[in-house]
Amino acid sequence: MTGRLLRDHLSLTGLVIIILIFAVTMAAPVLAPHDPLPVELSERLRSADDQYPLGTDPLGRCLYSRLLYGGRITLQYSLSVLAIILLIGIPTGLLAGYLGGMVDGLLMRVADVVLAFPNLILALVVTGFLGPGLINVMIALAVVSWVQYARVVRGMVLSLKQKEFVLAARSAGTGPLGIIWHHLVPNVLPPVVVMATLNLGGLVLSIATLSFLGLGAQPPVPEWGAMINEARNYMVSTPMLMLLPGTAIALTVLGFNLLGDGLRDVLDPQGFTRPRQQSAGSSKPSPRLFSRRGSQ
Amino acid sequence: MDNVHKQVLEVKNLSANFYTSRGLIRAADNINFNVGQSECLAIIGESGAGKSVTALSLLRLVPHPGRIEEGEINLEGRDLLQLNPKEMRRVRGEDLALVFQDSLSTFNPVRTIGSHICETITAHRKLSSAEARDMARCKLAEMGLPAERSFRSFPFQLSGGMRQRAALAMAMSLHPRVLIADEATTSLDVTLQAQILHYLKKHLQECCMSLLFITHDLAAAAAVADRVAVMYAGRIVESGPVREVFRQPLHPYTSALLRSHPSFCPGRLEPINGSPPDLADLSPGCAFSPRCLKGREICRNKVPSLQELWPEQQAACHFHQARKNDLREAAVT
């Protein structure tokens, strides 16, 4: 499995990007030449030199250090949001799918309501309601994104529980919890891992977006989206201030997406997480059909 | 066959219905049978005759929209239909185990064979995982499998025969009182089938286990069973000791079945005309009457009941019952 993933150039690139970004940001306290917070107005808007590898921002803070620390915050919060989403979404989907009936109806109607609004707009509303701050952004994103996981997991559980191995397990005396834990969870996880990886890129982007809008990280906390926002007034005179955090966000998202695509080919050949084919009359055979045939 | 068998499993008036959009389907209709200790009862019939539903009803696992309507399933004096879900779970696997036909779908594709067997063991026994693993390996070895390798294999890594033996090892892991083999040897080649049948027969005697052998393979049934019950359209149409039923079938369906099988008919084979009936749209009389060569007026209007026509041999057929009454009248006068 790992071999197949590493042989694919694109996913390997993604993996390398992700590992590099993680390594660099996690090592920020070691790598950063300056403290990212204190204001040093005498040093404002300096260009790159030995002391400041990427120059300074309008408040005289080292841009390089802020980028490194900013990445830490972005990644930390994205991962925390993801963890919350998974902890809510997977059990909800498992319950709804396995129990069916009233429980399923109730949970899925709640999911429908959440799905009816565009994600970012709803997140904006929730953050607006809770007030700005990274923790609130985290809650807002979790509220709007657990739904997709619950939906996907429920769908898979609905088809899995018809399988003969579930009947066989029940005929051997396994109880409902055993069925869920031993037979549903292991089968549900691979597509969920793929979804989560692809989703991480999106979460990084959402956190940056909300911070850019001033709802997430509050100054002076370095965060990529917030840094772009702070750099708006200097877009023409010092474009690097905006371009560097922008590139960092783009690279991270690209890395997660490439890795997620690769993981999907390896872990989810049946295409549970693949976006639906739009044109029915397309002349190209759909990759989904291909992999189906190949896998059976 | 001898009468000394202690009855282990007694099924009385068991009916399981399916409520579908096409109407009520009586998949198992008023089923009665007994299985004695160390005895093997074969249930034979075409596909769709209700054999598998009968098997699943015994475990109370009839799939939706099916339901067990009435009846009694006595396993060593306990009526399984009266147990609560928790007690029933304890019965499954521990007292009554089931082996399916398709061993590839019996196992979860993302888990190893060993973890399946351990799961069954730990569901019933309070054992540490190391003890459960040892027990599972031991069971696999007993079935003639390389214990360590098959324990760690995923289902798709084993051949069909090995997998079926692993499934059997799983079902036998807790020494069930009754093993239900639902077409368990059908997908295997003849040599392997013979091996497994031999193993099962040996096990019946050694472990005082009973076997409910569900199959459409008449030869396999003849090889392993002590008694046989023939099912047609959800009902048992004939039952009795295997030798008597195969040598001298009473029900026209049984004899037609035997005449269409090379092992029992040395001459030219005769197919049974027509096709199995639609269970949602059964005739009011004997379900076999449209295909029966001996069909009479009464056959189309009245369902024959299962009656003992010879010692220990029962059949549900108006033709024979009428003849028996004639004989009795002749004897009286």
Side-chain angles (χ1 to χ4, degrees):
Chain A
M1 188 196 103
T2 334
R4 257 172 76 195
L5 192 66
L6 295 183
R7 242 174 284 137
D8 178 23
H9 292 290
L10 281 179
S11 40
L12 185 63
T13 316
L15 190 65
V16 169
I17 293 177
I18 296 303
I19 291 177
L20 273 181
I21 289 180
F22 261 90
V24 166
T25 51
M26 291 308 142
V30 185
L31 291 178
H34 299 273
D35 190 330
L37 295 181
V39 176
E40 194 74 55
L41 284 175
S42 59
E43 306 282 341
R44 68 191 298 259
L45 293 176
R46 279 175 62 152
S47 50
D49 54 24
D50 287 347
Q51 202 188 345
Y52 297 98
L54 294 174
T56 57
D57 72 353
L59 295 174
R61 297 171 294 196
C62 171
L63 185 59
Y64 177 56
S65 310
R66 280 181 72 76
L67 267 182
L68 294 184
Y69 278 99
R72 262 168 86 112
I73 293 195
T74 310
L75 288 177
Q76 265 170 18
Y77 278 86
S78 312
L79 287 175
S80 319
V81 175
L82 188 71
I84 299 176
I85 293 173
L86 293 182
L87 283 179
I88 303 175
I90 297 177
T92 313
L94 284 172
L95 272 184
Y98 188 75
L99 296 176
M102 283 274 287
V103 182
D104 184 26
L106 200 71
L107 289 172
M108 285 306 115
R109 293 302 80 73
V110 174
D112 284 343
V113 171
V114 179
L115 276 178
F117 299 98
N119 264 359
L120 197 62
I121 308 278
L122 189 58
L124 272 176
V125 172
V126 178
T127 333
F129 183 71
L130 294 172
L134 273 171
I135 298 284
N136 291 345
V137 162
M138 213 167 85
I139 296 172
L141 286 177
V143 167
V144 301
S145 337
W146 65 271
V147 182
Q148 328 164 20
Y149 289 86
R151 278 265 168 194
V152 167
V153 169
R154 168 185 174 266
M156 280 189 296
V157 169
L158 283 184
S159 80
L160 281 171
K161 74 174 179 179
Q162 304 291 332
K163 295 268 163 125
E164 200 169 281
F165 59 76
V166 172
L167 185 64
R170 291 180 65 199
S171 79
T174 309
L177 284 179
I179 299 277
I180 291 179
W181 184 247
H182 291 303
H183 290 279
L184 300 182
V185 172
N187 292 58
V188 158
L189 274 189
V192 167
V193 168
V194 175
M195 257 184 96
T197 318
L198 286 171
N199 204 210
L200 257 179
L203 287 175
V204 167
L205 207 56
S206 305
I207 288 185
T209 308
L210 290 170
S211 294
F212 174 77
L213 294 173
L215 293 168
Q218 299 301 308
V221 175
E223 199 283 339
W224 289 342
M227 284 166 73
I228 298 181
N229 185 27
E230 287 160 19
R232 266 186 317 161
N233 295 336
Y234 304 88
M235 193 159 71
V236 183
S237 59
T238 329
M240 273 304 172
L241 282 180
M242 192 171 238
L243 280 178
L244 285 175
T247 315
I249 295 173
L251 263 183
T252 315
V253 175
L254 179 72
F256 279 125
N257 283 356
L258 289 178
L259 180 64
D261 269 337
L263 275 178
R264 173 156 65 198
D265 291 341
V266 178
L267 289 179
D268 181 29
Q270 288 175 351
F272 276 114
T273 54
R274 204 176 286 278
R276 275 193 204 118
Q277 300 291 310
Q278 282 134 0
S279 57
S282 121
S283 60
K284 242 172 63 181
S286 79
R288 184 175 166 164
L289 273 181
F290 255 156
S291 44
R292 271 249 168 104
R293 215 170 285 154
S295 69
Q296 281 173 5
Chain B
M1 287 266 117
D2 50 339
N3 270 328
V4 294
H5 290 308
K6 182 176 139 242
Q7 297 303 336
V8 175
L9 180 68
E10 290 174 276
V11 176
K12 288 180 198 153
N13 306 328
L14 179 70
S15 298
N17 295 345
F18 283 75
Y19 296 86
T20 68
S21 51
R22 292 179 53 233
L24 179 70
I25 291 179
R26 296 178 198 278
D29 191 4
N30 205 4
I31 303 289
N32 286 287
F33 61 80
N34 301 325
V35 191
Q37 189 172 324
S38 302
E39 189 190 34
C40 171
L41 172 70
I43 296 186
I44 57 179
E46 293 166 82
S47 45
K51 308 183 300 278
S52 293
V53 171
T54 308
L56 289 174
S57 335
L58 296 182
L59 287 158
R60 282 174 52 190
L61 285 176
V62 181
H64 184 79
R67 214 168 67 195
I68 297 177
E69 217 55 47
E70 53 170 344
E72 225 176 280
I73 304 168
N74 278 321
L75 182 70
E76 300 192 301
R78 271 199 299 175
D79 186 0
L80 299 187
L81 295 180
Q82 306 300 329
L83 299 183
N84 66 33
K86 206 175 159 200
E87 291 168 328
M88 193 58 218
R89 270 209 299 281
R90 224 171 289 140
V91 169
R92 297 180 192 135
E94 174 97 61
D95 301 321
L96 261 181
L98 181 60
V99 190
F100 292 86
Q101 171 175 10
D102 181 4
S103 54
L104 189 58
S105 48
T106 306
F107 291 109
N108 188 339
V110 304
R111 299 178 58 215
T112 60
I113 299 286
S115 69
H116 283 89
I117 303 181
C118 288
E119 176 195 320
T120 306
I121 294 173
T122 47
H124 295 280
R125 301 279 153 84
K126 283 198 168 57
L127 290 179
S128 72
S129 58
E131 287 169 320
R133 278 200 296 274
D134 284 342
M135 197 168 157
R137 284 198 193 92
C138 181
K139 286 289 156 191
L140 286 166
E142 218 170 87
M143 292 303 298
L145 292 165
E148 193 51 45
R149 189 166 74 86
S150 48
F151 184 88
R152 276 186 287 124
S153 296
F154 286 92
F156 63 89
Q157 291 172 319
L158 296 182
S159 72
M162 292 169 87
R163 218 163 34 224
Q164 191 67 46
R165 277 185 283 170
L168 207 55
M170 182 163 94
M172 305 274 273
S173 59
L174 295 167
H175 299 290
R177 304 292 297 130
V178 181
L179 179 72
I180 306 169
D182 187 359
E183 306 269 14
T185 59
T186 312
S187 59
L188 303 176
D189 64 79
V190 227
T191 33
L192 208 55
Q193 183 173 349
Q195 264 180 40
I196 288 190
L197 292 183
H198 176 74
Y199 171 84
L200 284 175
K201 279 227 90 154
K202 203 177 81 186
H203 224 76
L204 290 186
Q205 296 305 326
E206 283 173 6
C207 301
C208 297
M209 189 179 77
S210 310
L211 179 62
L212 191 60
F213 190 74
I214 295 174
T215 186
H216 58 248
D217 183 347
L218 300 178
V224 71
D226 301 311
R227 286 189 305 121
V228 58
V230 184
M231 275 190 88
Y232 188 77
R235 298 184 191 123
I236 292 185
V237 293
E238 174 158 6
S239 73
V242 67
R243 213 174 305 162
E244 271 72 33
V245 171
F246 280 8
R247 191 183 293 157
Q248 189 195 36
L250 292 178
H251 198 280
Y253 175 63
T254 319
S255 49
L257 210 55
L258 292 171
R259 276 202 304 279
S260 65
H261 196 290
S263 309
F264 304 96
C265 181
R268 197 181 162 75
L269 300 180
E270 289 174 39
I272 307 178
N273 290 323
S275 51
D278 180 0
L279 285 177
D281 185 25
L282 278 183
S283 67
C286 170
F288 188 60
S289 61
R291 300 166 80 185
C292 185
L293 299 174
K294 295 171 177 164
R296 295 170 175 186
E297 188 57 36
I298 185 174
C299 297
R300 280 179 279 278
N301 299 322
K302 189 164 170 261
V303 181
S305 61
L306 199 63
Q307 286 184 10
E308 186 145 322
L309 299 179
W310 290 106
E312 288 192 59
Q313 191 174 0
Q314 294 127 17
C317 180
H318 290 303
F319 181 73
H320 280 286
Q321 283 162 14
R323 206 178 62 170
K324 192 184 169 195
N325 289 341
D326 291 346
L327 288 174
R328 193 179 294 149
E329 275 163 29
V332 169
T333 49

